[in-house]
Amino acid sequence: MRWFGFSSNGRAWILFSTVIYRIWMFINMAGARVCIFGAILAVFFCCSILRVGAQVTAASEASALQAIRGRLNDPLNHLNWTEGDPCISNWRGVLCFNAILEDGYLHVQELQLLNMNLSGSLDPQLGQLSHLIILGLMWNSISGSIPKEIGNIKSLKLLLLCGNQLSGSLPDELGYLPNLDRIQIDQNHISGSLPNSFAYLNKTKHIHMNNNSISGQIPPELSRLPELVHLLLDNNNLSGYLPLELSTMPNLHILQLDNNHFDSEIPASYGNMLKLLKLSLRNCSLHGAVPDLSRIPGLGYLDLSWNLLTGAIPSNKLSANITTIDLSNNNLNGSIPTNFSALPFLQRLSLENNSLSGSVPSTIWQNVNGTRRLILDFQNNFFSNISDVLNPPANVTIRLRGNPVCTNANQNIVQFCGSQIGWDDKPGVSKIVCPDTACPTDFFFEYVPESPVPCFCAAPLRVGYRLKSPGLSDFLPYKEPFEVYLTSGLRLDLYQLSIDSFIWEVGPRLTMYLKLFPLFNDQSGSISSEFNLSEIMRIRGLFTTWTIPHSDVFGPYELLNFTLLGPYANKVPLQPTNTGLSKGAVAGIVLGVVAGAVIISTIVSILIMRRLTIKHRAVSRKRILSKIPIKIDGVKDFTFGDMALATNNFCNSTQVGQGGYGKVYKGILDDDTIVAIKRAQEGSLQGQKEFFTEIELLSRLHHRNLVSLLGYCDEEGDQMLVYEFMPNGTLRDHLSAKSKVPLSFDMRLRIALGSSKGILYLHTEADPPIFHRDIKASNILLDSKFTAKVADFGLSRLAPVLDDDGVNPGYVSTVVKGTPGYLDPEYFLTNNLTDKSDVYSLGIVFLELLTGMHPISHGKNIAREVNMAYRSGMMFSVIDNRMGPYPSESVEKFMALALRCCREETDSRPSMAEVVRELENIWRMTQEADMAVSESITDPINISMFPSASTTTNSYVSSSDLLSSVDPTIMPR
Ligand SMILES: *[C@@H]1O[C@H](CO)[C@@H](O)[C@H](O)[C@H]1NC(C)=O
Ligand SMILES: *[C@@H]1O[C@H](CO)[C@@H](O)[C@H](O)[C@H]1NC(C)=O
Ligand SMILES: *[C@@H]1O[C@H](CO)[C@@H](O)[C@H](O)[C@H]1NC(C)=O
């Protein structure tokens, strides 16, 4: 359908059009033409009054999008922005609304291109998107400067550019965005100073510009911002003084300016910022005294560490809500004020590296109970005494090293004088005991940890989420409140959220990986469950439009990724329709529009019928024209006729396989060459340009362990790839229980080595490098001599190329493809594809070679099963006994390698080159062993190399757990 420029619903249009056209012809014959024309004219008149224009994107916006696309590099082809109208043809990331009462055109309301590996720069025509509300380009690699034209988009509410490589200074024009609610440009390379014009951002609540190179003075004018809630400017090059005026800001909750170079005192007036929840001024070259902040009722987090502050700590009592007080690494003197005592939520009091003296009062850790933990760091001061340490509570960590109290300390004190470590924040993994078979363990589905019914199996959405400025130091006591907060913000039930992991990062910031599970629905009658599309869109919308209310304790969040995997992978976000219909729409107008619409569609239909025929002609001409200049060395251009002849007109009996791409046929060319022909099915067809790019790429790959491409056919809307034929089929067939001639260990090892060499070639010799992305036993083919040849790398995405600075980003972020059971767990968690993802999949193939098992069978995952057997010293219990006698040392080495390839953490997997090297060593070792065997086959010592089934089985029987967990068909005799 794409040749005609319509998307799939174009089909419905054509049908509809045909009907209307028939009616039109009929009306013509009936001679009612005049009447109809009259009606049409009337409607046209009516429409021009109502300004109900054509349902297309406003021309200036459509051309602006083209210009934007032109400046962006999109290595992974996320932007399907090539055909049709931006708002109608589902351009990815473009959301529109219908300005039905304004000008009748569709207008771009959101441009959201989150985490798509885009580079290039931003075109100034961005400013033409005059109706834009959200501009979200987070987590790409876009460079260049921020176009000042963005300042023209008066409707803009969210400007989200964080996590790119933008440089240059902040344009003054950004200050003239009257509706801007949120500006996030953190984690870029912005330099220059903060424009004074930002003082006009009357509606802005959030300014996040941390981690840039912004320099100069913070404009005191910023204090005029009436709505500002969060000001994050940490990790920049700001200098000058801290403006006194900021204390007049009526709504400021978070002031975070760490790691800048101010040369000033902390204005005492900051004690009047009554809404403040967090004040973080670490490492800012500040001098003078610690201000008295006791009047701030809700202060939860205070960090003034790594400055040059002097004098005593103010003795007035801080807010009872405080969780964190960090005054370390200053020049403070005097003693600890008694008012630091019994703060009910305190988690960390850091006073180390100062000149404090006197006695440490035990009242500080009074009432520490429940899940609260408390770290008290008093190291490197002049404390001479500590009161009442006979029964220190278990939840309290006290550090006293480097104080006089530690010299000649008694038993009770000396325990605090060593170097104590803090908390270990590994969240406990809740183990669910459920039948192994009821939930496919393919990583996409899992048992819902807190499910209201036992063993509810569902596919989670995975969300990378980071708290940018949390008001706490220890997350564990806040884990439940956080779950309550987030689920109520997302309007989900509590059990639908599970925090998969969390980790503290520099900042401190708290990164979490969340899983969101669908609602349990007992009507569905099915044990497993998925979110439906509208629910996914709703949840994603809440995250990406920042409509989740912010929390005092948790502070602002950022969305790192929102990955759609497994059952969700192919759900394309729908475009919203007509969201801009204003409330004031009069019923009469609506009626008129409806009547008009019917007649207009008549006209449109007729036009479409005409255009259809014209376009069809144009397309076939274009195809013929563009075919002529393409010639690729070593690859033959077959006609459809050639292909039909070779396969007996694609007769079913010649079909030898079926893959994601389409059917595979065995064909015999007229020179009697036997070939495999892959014919793309509908949905796999590519644009002609992409198809030829791919063939061009494949034609350059030549390796003994890669299936070679012989030719292609691109004709009549059909695309086919012609490969050399592999008479021995797939590796998977030979490992299955049905295989007649089982592969020997030597053959298996040779296949492993061959496949590895093929993949190493793709990673290192191909230009540009290729990650296979879908290595599996059924993609490893065997030729007549059982030489392994890797297939299907044509569907690979290219590996990342060096960027402008010559830095290899190391991974490709992309939609997860691949086959369940072979998927690198880190890949689908972070969505980052690396060469190590191929190593993982290959490791799974190795395990299949060793055990004959499927990657997933009976709900069990091969990597986990083999690992368990290996660790408990019973690896031979899982070895495929059909491969006959084998040298146990080689098998053990091979298995150890396979398991290393399947490690969960990318970094601990071997590189592809190491895999090849290790396999070559094992191969050599095996050859030597074989020789030794054939020389002294009767020597009992050598025979013992082969674990005899009878001696080894005994030891397995003791472990009934393991026995039951292993597929019985592969158990040794
Ligand atoms: C911000 O910058 C600091 C200092 O350069 C760095 O340690 C930190 O990792 C950065 N944070 C982020 C989120 O990039
Ligand atoms: C202290 O924290 C509690 C719970 O987080 C909150 O309800 C309360 O409003 C806070 N107090 C002040 C004065 O902000
Ligand atoms: C104390 O100061 C020294 C020297 O500046 C520094 O190396 C050390 O990390 C500081 N100790 C703590 C616990 O912050």
Side-chain angles (χ1 to χ4, degrees), residues 187 211 235 466 506 509:
Q187 293 186 248
N211 287 69
N235 295 294
R466 177 157 65 187
V506 215
R509 305 182 210 272

Side-chain angles (χ1 to χ4, degrees), residues 233-252:
L233 295 172
D234 51 286
N235 295 294
N236 277 294
N237 291 327
L238 294 167
S239 57
Y241 59 94
L242 281 183
L244 188 80
E245 292 83 349
L246 292 189
S247 59
T248 62
M249 299 185 78
N251 275 311
L252 197 63

